[in-house]
């Protein structure tokens, strides 16, 4: 339904995205997209590149008079750093950094110069994911759906358990989003944020890098997005793939995920109760997804990011030119990318949710979709009539 491609190298002239399948009529401006691009540029622990770039999108197709037309949307961001690279003789890169795509890119594509892998594997590409995600976010907002996120841990510094419980209440998440937005490590608890900052500072002093865990929540989703009928239509699986594709993400968890694996079944489910005719849950261990389908509770997802592979302290590697065992050479990079990566995870979640909503409602124009959205079944007794009579499978025997 909805799809996008990105193109561009980290130090090439510009990076590009084409988003296809967005319905007509969605109001969107470059300023709105730039807002999210700026969020991606901020964060304690960033490297030198973010002092050079001022990411600004140009919308060059698919949006006229401030609204999407249903045609492919083309987005372009300039790499200001390109000016430094364009006429330069570039040093050969022959020593792969463990953990980056230098070695695997060369083995896959037969590169005789490792920088060719670096240029495309760089997380600079996530700029365009955030741009695409901002368009999807604007679309979701038309239906009252909001996506936000924050950092739950950096290295071994984590929000205390009692402050980060998965909740069925959208209000809890709204408050977390707002507070995290004020923090340069994107953490909603001031004491934890301070400890995270100190941990990042220490890591920088130690010439090292640090990963962490990001949590993203989507609020206002209707129940019934995704499907249980095929592995590739389960919304949980689609989200996991999208988030797993982000640079340095090595784990994705939905709801209480790994913690649920430790509990007996009676404590791991979200029991139902009636509020008038509305069917509700007091807990949200499932993170808003049951059977790969949204249940209307906040959709909660976590991504684990490994520390960036480029470290100031060298690592053992092999020089492919000399055939000798050598130490890595430093390339400019971030010390801790985790705070900056929150809008990237949000963007991928926005994209998958926009796709799922379009799939549910049909996606030619916003106008058509509004009526269908209003008519969606909700978790109410009156929306869920059951026959309550015995029945038979009715298959024919072989
Ligand atoms: C990034 C741009 C890159 C890196 C970083 C993210 O720019 P440069 O290589 O010129 O410093 O700072 O990418 C990585 C950490 C990586 O490993 O690829 C950006 O725009 O976010």
């Amino acid at each position: 339904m909805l799809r996008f491609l990105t193109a561009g190298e980290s130090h090439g002239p510009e990076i590009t995205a084409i988003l296809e399948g967005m319905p007509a009529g969605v109001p969107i401006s470059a300023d709105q997209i730039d807002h999210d691009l700026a969020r991606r540029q901020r964060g304690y622990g960033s490297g030198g590149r973010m002092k050079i770039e001022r990411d600004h999108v140009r919308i060059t197709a698919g949006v006229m008079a401030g609204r999407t037309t249903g045609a492919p949307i083309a987005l372009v961001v300039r790499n200001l750093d390109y000016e430094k690279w364009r006429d330069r003789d570039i040093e050969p890169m022959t020593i792969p950094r463990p953990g980056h795509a230098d070695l695997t890119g060369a083995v896959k594509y037969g590169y005789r110069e490792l920088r060719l892998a670096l240029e495309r594997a760089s997380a600079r590409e996530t700029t365009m994911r955030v741009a695409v995600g901002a368009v999807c976010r604007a679309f979701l907002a038309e239906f009252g759906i909001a996506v936000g996120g924050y950092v739950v841990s950096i290295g071994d510094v984590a929000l205390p358990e009692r402050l980060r419980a998965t909740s069925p209440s959208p209000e809890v998440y709204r408050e977390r989003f707002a507070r995290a937005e004020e923090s340069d490590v994107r953490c909603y608890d001031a004491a934890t944020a301070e400890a995270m900052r100190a941990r990042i500072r220490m890591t920088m002093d130690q010439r090292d890098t640090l990963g962490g865990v990001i949590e993203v929540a989507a609020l206002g989703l209707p129940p019934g997005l995704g499907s249980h009928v095929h592995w590739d239509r389960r919304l949980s699986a689609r989200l996991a793939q999208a988030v797993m594709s982000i640079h340095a993400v090595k784990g994705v968890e939905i709801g209480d995920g790994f913690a649920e694996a430790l509990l007996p079944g009676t404590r791991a489910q979200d029991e139902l109760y009636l509020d008038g005719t509305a069917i509700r849950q007091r807990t949200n261990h499932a993170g808003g997804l049951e059977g790969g389908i949204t249940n209307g509770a906040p959709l909660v997802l976590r991504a684990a990011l490994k520390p960036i592979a480029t470290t100031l302290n060298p690592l053992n590697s092999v020089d492919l030119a000399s055939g000798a065992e050598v130490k890595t050479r430093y390339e400019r990079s971030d010390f801790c990318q985790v705070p900056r990566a929150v809008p990237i995870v949000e963007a991928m979640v926005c994209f998958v949710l926009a796709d799922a909503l379009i799939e549910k409602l049909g996606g030619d124009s916003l106008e058509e979709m509004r009526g269908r959205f209003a008519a969606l079944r909700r978790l109410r007794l009156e929306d869920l009539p059951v026959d309550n009579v015995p029945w038979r499978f009715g298959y024919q025997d072989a």
Side-chain angles (χ1 to χ4, degrees):
M1 295 267 169
L2 193 62
R3 55 189 179 147
F4 76 93
L5 286 175
T6 70
E9 277 74 46
S10 184
H11 306 97
E14 56 193 28
I15 35 182
T16 307
I18 295 181
L19 172 64
E20 200 256 347
M22 185 50 67
V26 181
I28 184 76
S29 68
D31 283 351
Q32 263 168 287
I33 300 174
D34 284 354
H35 174 77
D36 267 349
L37 294 182
R39 293 175 69 230
R40 197 199 73 97
Q41 288 207 263
R42 282 196 299 269
Y44 192 70
S46 303
R49 179 74 182 268
M50 289 306 109
K51 295 193 180 79
I52 299 167
E53 303 296 341
R54 292 285 168 274
D55 291 340
H56 164 64
V57 77
R58 270 194 311 136
I59 306 174
T60 59
V63 181
M64 291 194 246
R67 285 185 187 263
T68 58
T69 63
I73 298 167
L75 307 168
V76 184
V77 172
R78 270 184 68 200
N79 286 324
L80 301 182
D81 201 38
Y82 174 61
E83 289 308 313
K84 289 214 209 76
W85 291 76
R86 56 184 302 173
D87 300 318
R88 201 171 104 188
D89 288 329
I90 298 164
E91 275 291 293
M93 181 174 173
T94 60
I95 307 168
R97 294 162 297 169
H100 220 296
D102 306 343
L103 185 59
T104 50
V107 75
K108 164 79 177 162
Y109 291 101
Y111 295 141
R112 300 172 69 94
E113 159 57 48
L114 300 186
R115 187 166 291 281
L116 302 190
L118 174 160
E119 283 295 335
R120 180 61 188 160
S122 166
R124 179 75 189 142
E125 188 258 353
T126 60
T127 311
M128 298 324 292
R129 303 205 197 193
V130 170
V132 162
V135 179
C136 297
R137 188 195 294 281
F139 164 71
L140 293 170
E142 293 296 314
F143 297 94
I145 299 164
V147 175
Y150 41 82
V151 173
V152 292
S153 66
I154 289 200
D156 57 4
V157 180
L159 278 164
E161 205 69 53
R162 71 190 153 79
L163 293 181
R164 63 174 157 131
T166 308
S167 172
S169 155
E171 282 316 310
V172 167
Y173 290 100
R174 270 198 205 98
E175 192 175 334
R176 289 179 185 178
F177 298 161
R179 287 212 203 150
E181 207 59 32
E182 306 293 305
S183 153
D184 61 358
V185 288
R186 288 197 178 277
C187 178
Y188 52 78
D189 175 57
T192 313
E194 193 44 55
M196 286 174 171
R197 217 171 284 120
R199 193 75 182 73
I200 295 173
R201 207 177 309 123
M202 194 173 110
T203 301
M204 288 157 91
D205 291 345
Q206 291 169 341
R207 303 162 66 83
D208 217 327
T209 59
L210 206 54
V213 175
I214 288 168
E215 185 165 287
V216 164
L219 313 176
L221 287 170
L225 301 187
S227 174
H228 63 280
V229 305
H230 274 302
W231 65 272
D232 57 349
R233 293 180 59 193
R234 285 181 176 257
L235 197 58
S236 39
R238 288 155 65 178
L239 286 162
Q241 189 203 8
V243 173
M244 198 58 126
S245 76
I246 298 169
H247 309 65
V249 171
K250 285 292 198 180
V252 177
E253 193 181 29
I254 288 173
D256 286 342
F258 285 91
E260 286 218 279
L262 305 172
L263 297 175
T266 49
R267 282 177 49 207
Q269 321 307 327
D270 304 305
E271 294 185 78
L272 304 176
Y273 73 97
L274 277 178
D275 178 6
T277 59
I279 301 161
R280 299 197 196 282
Q281 299 169 321
R282 288 193 176 85
T283 54
N284 188 17
H285 301 302
L289 284 164
E290 290 175 287
I293 304 173
T294 55
N295 64 7
L299 190 149
V300 184
L301 175 144
R302 270 182 289 279
L305 280 75
K306 70 169 186 173
I308 280 177
T310 313
T311 54
L312 264 170
N313 271 334
L315 294 171
N316 292 323
S317 186
V318 171
D319 187 336
L320 303 186
S322 69
E325 289 181 345
V326 293
K327 295 284 184 188
T328 50
R329 293 209 188 114
Y330 188 63
E331 296 276 333
R332 177 184 60 198
S333 190
D334 297 46
F335 293 95
C336 180
Q337 83 281 39
V338 182
R340 291 185 50 211
V342 172
I344 306 168
V345 183
E346 289 172 12
M348 293 309 286
V349 169
C350 284
F351 170 75
V352 173
L353 295 179
D355 185 35
L357 192 61
I358 290 168
E359 174 184 279
K360 183 74 181 164
L361 301 176
D364 290 330
S365 76
L366 199 54
E367 200 121 312
E368 286 174 348
M369 295 175 82
R370 282 192 209 285
R372 297 184 196 142
F373 186 82
L376 284 178
R377 264 188 295 280
R378 301 281 164 169
L379 296 187
R380 292 181 297 220
L381 291 178
E382 60 271 31
D383 287 3
L384 299 162
V386 293
D387 293 333
N388 200 20
V389 292
W391 61 284
R392 291 192 175 192
F393 267 122
Y395 293 123
Q396 283 185 317
D397 287 334

